[in-house]
Amino acid sequence: MHAEIEVLKKKLPAVREVDIDQWKPPQTPWVKLNFDATYKAQLNKSCSGFIIRNEKGEVMGSGITLHSNILDVGLAEAVACYQGLLFAKEMGFVNVEVEGDAQISFKHVRREANQVAHIIAKEGHSRSENTFWIEDIPAVAKELVAAEETGNML
């Protein structure tokens, strides 16, 4: 059996991880935004760095933003992503692929799967200050949340 395994090893192509830790350009018509953050816990401050490159790897723009009142490294990374996306939007890019080494994750869903958050965001336009609910939601979203919980979509 040992001899058979050795023969198989010689016949099968070697599996190698190639370029796993190297930057790769996006596909046309996309640009790629890479972001990162540094965080100084003792000062509750962070610095965001970001770069936008096209399918040829050409730099389309880059930036640094400084932030205070940052409570942890996760928030610092999220703010860096946000600042990079804001910069990409201001530059006029619509198709943006986002990469960062933060362990935060985003998933795109259609508006139909995100209706409650959308209703809450719309509700914000009728308020004059930031508002938060603990174990509750605005009244305008309660019926939809109940429908989602029971699977009876409106």
Side-chain angles (χ1 to χ4, degrees), residues 29-61:
W30 295 75
V31 295
K32 185 178 282 188
L33 162 67
N34 286 86
F35 71 91
D36 204 1
T38 58
Y39 176 63
K40 294 189 177 184
Q42 66 278 17
L43 300 174
N44 284 347
K45 291 186 175 188
S46 73
C47 180
S48 303
F50 42 86
I51 181 169
I52 300 170
R53 292 181 274 193
N54 67 13
E55 73 281 355
K56 296 177 187 171
E58 298 168 332
V59 175
M60 307 307 291

Side-chain angles (χ1 to χ4, degrees), residues 9-17:
K9 282 183 183 176
K10 290 178 183 175
K11 289 184 178 181
L12 293 173
V15 176
R16 295 184 351 203
E17 292 182 11

Side-chain angles (χ1 to χ4, degrees), residues 120-131:
I120 293 171
K122 282 175 48 177
E123 172 69 13
H125 288 291
S126 68
R127 297 178 181 264
S128 58
E129 61 186 16
N130 295 339
T131 309

Side-chain angles (χ1 to χ4, degrees), residues 115-116 118-124 126-127 133 137-145 154:
Q115 288 183 58
V116 173
H118 183 71
I119 287 171
I120 293 171
K122 282 175 48 177
E123 172 69 13
S126 68
R127 297 178 181 264
W133 293 264
I137 55 176
V140 68
K142 289 189 180 205
E143 187 178 345
L144 182 56
V145 167
L154 299 176

